[in-house]
Amino acid sequence: CAYCEKKIDYISAESHIEHFKKIDLFPKLFCEYTNMLVSCNSLQSCGKFKDLKSGIKKENYSNLINPALENPEKHIGYTYTGAITAKTDKGEKTIEFFNLNNNILRNKRQKIANSIRNFIEFMTLDETLKQFNNFDSFVEYIYTQHKKH
């Protein structure tokens, strides 16, 4: 998923092509490549969560991270509790807009962080990424932070 980084099968019922900027607000972006992202089908976060919101206006998009256009890592970080933290106002608005710190996602990330702590001495980063096969930026961040200490 372009938002939460959950691994999804892009041809299955667990994903959809998401228009980052809603088509009813930005009809000219319907076929714009950088406006089309693969998103999970969670109703509690990501694209579907955004699309179910009422009252979204064009200006809501002015300060959000579009992962097709920029690297989210300069705007967000992570904690061992599985939370995504904001480094910038843009990061904070994106986390809130797509509900990226909901309990389901936070708990999944926290379980991964706990497992990394237990096995970090026995695995390389590549092995760790393959082992969890989910939330790659989070896994890499937790792995490298733990190795530093």
Side-chain angles (χ1 to χ4, degrees):
C1 176
Y3 304 111
C4 71
E5 291 194 321
K6 176 184 163 195
K7 293 287 186 206
I8 50 177
D9 182 351
Y10 65 91
I11 58 171
S12 78
E14 54 182 49
S15 66
H16 68 282
I17 300 297
E18 157 71 10
H19 289 96
F20 176 76
K21 293 183 176 180
K22 291 178 82 164
I23 297 308
D24 58 336
L25 296 174
F26 300 90
K28 291 181 180 178
L29 297 179
F30 179 74
C31 289
E32 178 67 36
Y33 175 75
T34 58
N35 195 47
M36 294 186 286
L37 307 171
V38 178
S39 178
C40 63
N41 283 338
S42 172
L43 298 177
Q44 290 83 29
S45 62
C46 305
K48 294 248 185 213
F49 177 83
K50 173 207 48 144
D51 289 341
L52 293 172
K53 285 182 172 186
S54 60
I56 294 178
K57 299 178 176 130
K58 281 187 173 185
E59 52 269 15
N60 292 119
Y61 291 93
S62 64
N63 202 22
L64 295 176
I65 303 163
N66 179 339
L69 297 174
E70 63 184 305
N71 187 344
E73 289 180 18
K74 67 181 181 180
H75 300 285
I76 62 172
Y78 305 96
T79 69
Y80 284 101
T81 64
I84 298 177
T85 58
K87 295 178 183 176
T88 64
D89 185 53
K90 195 173 206 177
E92 185 175 328
K93 296 231 185 311
T94 301
I95 293 165
E96 180 183 321
F97 196 75
F98 294 101
N99 199 26
L100 298 176
N101 271 333
N102 75 64
N103 287 336
I104 295 167
L105 289 173
R106 232 180 47 248
N107 290 338
K108 286 180 181 181
R109 290 189 297 255
Q110 184 176 30
K111 285 180 185 178
I112 290 172
N114 291 338
S115 294
I116 290 172
R117 284 179 170 162
N118 293 331
F119 298 106
I120 195 165
E121 301 306 321
F122 308 105
M123 297 171 71
T124 66
L125 176 58
D126 286 340
E127 291 169 333
T128 305
L129 288 166
K130 285 179 190 172
Q131 173 70 29
F132 295 106
N133 197 32
N134 246 332
F135 310 113
D136 287 356
S137 294
F138 173 75
V139 169
E140 186 171 343
Y141 181 88
I142 295 299
Y143 184 94
T144 55
Q145 290 300 307
H146 196 75
K147 281 289 194 183
K148 286 181 184 178
H149 300 291

